[in-house]
Amino acid sequence: MPDPQPRKLHVPALPITAQTAAEGQQYAELHCKTNYSFLEGASHPDELVTTAAALGYAALAITDRNSVAGVVRAHVAAKEAGLKLLIGAELHPVDASPLVVWVIDRAGYGRLCRLITRGRRSAPKGECRLTAADIAEHAEGLFAGVPLTSLTDGAAQHLIRWRDVFGDRLYALAELHRGYNDTRLWRQWQQVSAATRVPLVAAGDIHYHEAGRRYLHDVVTAIRLKTTVAQLGAHRFANGERHLRTREELADLYGACPDTLRRSTEIADRCQFSLEELRYDYPEELCPPGETPFSYLTRLTWAGARDRYPAGIPDKVRRLIEHELHLIEQLRYAAYFLTVWDLVRFARERGILCQGRGSAANSVVCYCLGVTSVDPEKIDVLFERFVSKERDEAPDIDVDFEHQRREEVLQYIYEKYGRDRAGMTAEVITYRPRSAVRDVGKALGLSLDTVDTLAKSVDHFLDQTDKLPSRFRETGFDPASRLGQQLRYLVRELLGFPRHLSQHVGGMVLTHRPLCELVPIENASMPGRTVVQWDKDDLDALGILKVDCLALGMLSAIRRGFDLLKAHGGPSLSLATVPQDDPLVYQMMQQADTVGVFQIESRAQMSMLPRLKPKEYYDLVIEVAIVRPGPIQGDMVHPYLRRRSGKEQVTYPNPAVEEVLSKTLGVPLFQEQAMRLAIVAAGFTPGEADQLRRAMGAWRRTGIMERFERKLIDGMTANGYSELFARNVFQQIQGFGSYGFPESHAASFALLVYVSAWLKCHHPAVFLAALLNSQPMGFYAPAQLVADAKKHGVEVRPVDVNHSDWDSTLEPNGSGDWAVRMGWSLVKGLPQNAAEALVRLRAAGRFTSYADFTRRTGFSAATLSRLAAADAFRSCGVARRPALWQALAHDDQPGLFADDEEDLPAALPELLPPEEVVHDYLTTGLSLRGHPFTPLRPQLQAARVVPACELATLESDRRYRVAGLVLLRQRPGTAKGITFMTLEDETGQANLIVRPEVWERFRRVARGAGALIATGFLQRQEGVIHLLVDRLQDLSSAVSPVGSVSRDFR
Amino acid sequence: MCTWFPRWPIQRLYAVQPALRRQPLALFAESAQRLRITACCPQAERCGVRVGQSLADAKAMLSDASYQPATSEADRTALRELALEAQRFTPLVGLEDAAEPESLFWDISGCPHLWGGERPFFQAVTDYWKSRRYTVRLALADTVGAAWAVAHYGPTASLIPSGREAAVLANLPLAALRLPKATLSRLGAMGLHRIGDVQKLPRKSLPSRFGAELLQRLDQAFGEQPEWFAAERLQEPLVVSRTWDEPITDQLAVAIVNRELLHELLAQVAQRSCGLHEVRGEFQTETKTVPVELHVTEPTLDEAHWNELIALRLERQPWPGGVLRVTWMALRLGVLHRQQGTLFAQDHAADQSRAVHALVDRLTSRLGAGAVLRVEIRPDPQPEQAVALIPWHQPAANEEAPFVAEQWRSRPMRLLPVPHPIEVMPVVPDGPPLRMSWEGRSYRVIHQQGPERIETGWWRTEDARRDYYRVQWDDGTEVWAFRDRRSGGWFLHGFFD
């Protein structure tokens, strides 16, 4: 078994290779699987490429099983290592022997993709069904090799059959692995080759880059076959020879016939295709005839600029536009910008609210095209910082659409470009610590519940893998035992391995030529959905056009807000025309009165607001970006706050850094700043800085991270920075890796923050209705949104058969303002079609009685019970319980007995007001009558529990007790084990801080209770109020019917 | 009468492993692809463990508890055994009709007077379970439903006098009526919580609102509708025996008795349309009982075969002194393999296999199971693990490797049980062997083939990494030797004789 110490790469040092390169036989490996042949290959593509290069191979072919999913990664690595890469695949037709094919030219590549697409599309997700006839149809432009080891008998017939298809482009692969019968096989193969006149060529059937991976290979095989390593039996290779072998070894093995080695390089020489040829395949039909994409884009941009600046285009903007257009022309991005513009145009025509963000989105051109609504005057736009000539990568624009209507946009794309030119990008699901522990544990034969416990003990991905031993020890599993060491070693190796392809949330790839000739398309798990075999990084690396169409709940809410405003006599607004820089809005935000506001409604954001005191737009950009793992892990938040409040002097080590950091007072807060800092202060090239960012995101331990860490810290200390500062910057980049939040995204988000805050501030009723109709979204449940709106004087009315629509609506409240009428969407379990039928029938006149209602609607007993339980018959003069009594009787025969109104039995108990509240919670998740805690108040008072609202005025640093429903439990990875809880009573909310030792002592209550009493010291600091808890007491039974409403650890 | 064993799965485990009482205990089972708690002891519950919770959550609440997999089948079987045990009080005791039963129903009509009335009877039952260290709740009532309701929700140890059911039941929660959850929540929504609440409502208004089961359960509890339960019945064991007043020492006489008894036993087995698979004999002498256990490869009714097996066994296992009593009992029955014969052809294959089975049975009964072995080929690359000798009767491992003639041709006829270190002179460090020393003699290698590389076994013991060579010495001996790639040492592993 492997040593627990990290092992070195089993690649001979370069001098030896150089020597053997001079003497040894030239060789190209033609049959090699990566870990993109899921759970078959046991090495990353780049590991294979680097090793092949170090071994002095002439070329390496990547031939995954029915797939080219791993080739882009291999391509990138091969470019760097200077190795020739062949693209191919291992095909397994259902009616013939397996076959390895290699691409000769672009047309052949297109055919291979088409072929794999056909096989993948006619099989369930993850599988591929090909026939020999399919392969014959696409054989042109491909070389083929038949692995002879896969043929037990009748090898000659198989070879002849394939020879008829491929002619002289067919080879027989001789693959020797030091088995028991090598000599005999060798003899047989030579006979077959001579008899069929199909030349023999040496190959390796490679499954991993170095021999030490055979342990992991055994494990992934066991995972694939859903068994344990011990029970693999014949499915295990007898030795670890399926790795990339040195050329000396090969010369020894194939010494009897060196021609077989030579032929491998001949094939490699004749394959002239490179993935580079796929670049710039952008759709072109968007520009009208007679124009080039660039001339059309220029025209659109200037026209847009005139609309944006009716008073005349400012000089600064004019210069910027000219500059950006110049860059776009140079980089040939015009078609890309046009594509994005077209999507946004479509959405606007349909009244779908959308907004672009991302590096390229923060340009004046995008502002003029209407892709973004952030006035470039507001933020300092520097286009090159996002789209650089030297980095040579595709521009990045994500477009957010209303979450309930994004599907329309996707349909438009499919309609416009056709299914054969548009597709969803894949998302490669990789092994995370938890899934790796789970699968490896099972493969090693650990019992189900041990695996479960171990896996649960490994927290999500913020955790570092070095913590594995201590995590294991906590669960009573000895990490130093043999099994423990094996588990740790294998888990570390498996981390970052791809498991399967899934569908990216919104990435669309668009091409000029048929998409299936660019990359194979396969079935996704959702029926009817397809996904390409590459993820967004792959497409990025090749410069293929992709647009991320994402769904954003707040955009739905804002659009609904705008619509409601307009429909009820307000102004007609858009994202760009909402009155800007309104001091009232900022004042509201400074007081952390932001329930429901985009992004800044979380508890962490709310506690930041009074400290940061946003006064202008750019402050919001910072606010959005600052409460993130990056700045927190990098310990950048407090320095920034100190500098902002003037408690610390703003200094810069040198002018170059000042340029990077001046707008954030010398503290790097954004991803771009950290990257720039790596360049300016540590001497990284832009390419390296970008590599660093990518390396952070992936779960890899190839040593890249350590190398970059060293380089960054050395570079920065050499330039006169403190090591501490350098380390913090590195930590921050590390934090960004998993949760990247660049300024270019924050800038667009900040606009939504402002607009939603503006709505809340000036039109709270509209805001509430819009939020309720866009559920589920955001941080708070309808109950809290309603409670907050009521605090701001909004009247909220209950659901009623004579007043409610499916959506919540606005009704005049009699004093010139609007009240919110709750809609049926809030009633749990009420089908939408029933609710809509109800509204339709009501158009003929209001329902006068319960009997009238049942007769006219003919609803089933189940639907009537839902309505009755929700207390929706008040306007018919029927209370909740009598209505329910009648509804229950309806049985399955609607209408039959509708007329016999039965009297309520006298023995049926009346509902008491507190019970009504409980039933409100059960049916709609909130109550307008009161709070479950209202009836408890006298008892609570007797127990010296203070109402939550009083915490704001009580003397701090003294002990108090509060009680409430638990709304939320959170333990951010950055908070050193501290848990944040929020309680709600009838007067408001109270924020608790529970330290680990307190949590441990009151674990049961802390973790499980739906309601509790907390005792602790009151802390008040810069407007932030917390109770530092030292005692918890269970109160669940007092409100048990309400159950738990808490959103825990999301 | 109803006896409820609260948290029965827990109680059952306590009975089997009393040591479990020392710490909190919870049971789990897999449901909906997650491991969930199915039962827990009161102590665990006080610490926050709940039924239905996921196992990981429970462990987070309470780490120093014992978590055991639940076995509902064993729980049911054990409860059934208790029902049989309880038949010392009344002949009719059965399990409640539930997915995971925890209660026993007793029909005690005509029994209490044997104990001197209901109260002493009740006390005797209570004491009986207490002495067996079971926690039970008992209730005695006129109907099954009422007894169940009171046992679960009434005051402890309730003896409801005949005719008083109505008053007691009215105060119990509706859950005491054994109603489905959906019905209970619907009743709860109407503010109906006790049985009495429902009784006050017009009877005809109930079924359409709450389902027919409500009325049925109500009526069963109040004795308006009869309710039955199935009493457990003991499967009669197949036992035959002979007893003498004077000890018999004559082996022949015993043999004759054995034959007779076996004949009777087989006749009884035949009545059940089964074959006899496993049998146990007991020879009681004046001082002790000598047991004999026998089993055959295939269940059979072949009297001659059984007689032969018994004779062979007794040859090997004589008993001292005279025998007072001989007992034979069937331990296991099996399906009889009857095959339809063809009219004329002789079914050689079947006959042969039967003959082999008979031989194996004979040998096994004479020599013991450990002496009659067969070879199993295992799909393991490591040569010493590729073959195993296992008792003939032991079922095959779930994947026996197919016999690949070619592979076995490359293996030596004689494999040393353990590789033997040997001195070897290769020219290059990793090269083939040139000269070998074995048992004090040095041999020149005149021919060698290889290496065959075998790397495996890391999950089992140490990682075996070997390069095997097939080597011919100058005296003609062909051996199989390998170089250990970890240590570089050479080992001799077999001879091609």
Side-chain angles (χ1 to χ4, degrees), chain B residues 106-146:
Chain B
W106 314 44
D107 185 343
I108 57 165
S109 333
C111 295
H113 73 272
L114 298 172
W115 274 262
E118 280 188 354
R119 196 155 289 281
F121 175 79
F122 198 80
Q123 196 56 47
V125 175
T126 312
D127 292 345
Y128 177 74
W129 293 124
K130 200 178 275 174
S131 72
R132 303 279 321 271
R133 291 197 76 187
Y134 284 116
T135 311
V136 291
R137 290 176 55 108
L138 285 93
L140 213 160
D142 277 358
T143 67
V144 170

Side-chain angles (χ1 to χ4, degrees), chain A residues 285-359:
Chain A
E285 68 265 55
L286 289 167
C287 72
E291 288 212 55
T292 65
F294 181 70
S295 68
Y296 187 49
L297 179 73
T298 311
R299 202 151 59 77
L300 287 171
T301 308
W302 288 115
R306 278 190 292 279
D307 289 348
R308 286 287 197 201
Y309 301 97
I313 306 168
D315 270 355
K316 182 187 164 198
V317 173
R318 182 179 295 277
R319 269 199 315 277
L320 276 173
I321 293 178
E322 278 163 2
H323 176 67
E324 286 179 11
L325 284 175
H326 179 67
L327 258 180
I328 290 172
E329 184 178 24
Q330 236 183 358
L331 296 168
R332 294 159 65 189
Y333 288 159
Y336 179 79
F337 278 81
L338 278 180
T339 312
V340 175
W341 165 79
D342 180 57
L343 291 183
V344 171
R345 179 197 55 80
F346 166 78
R348 200 171 309 122
E349 277 172 14
R350 286 291 189 89
I352 303 170
L353 201 59
C354 64
Q355 185 181 228
R357 63 183 157 104
S359 57

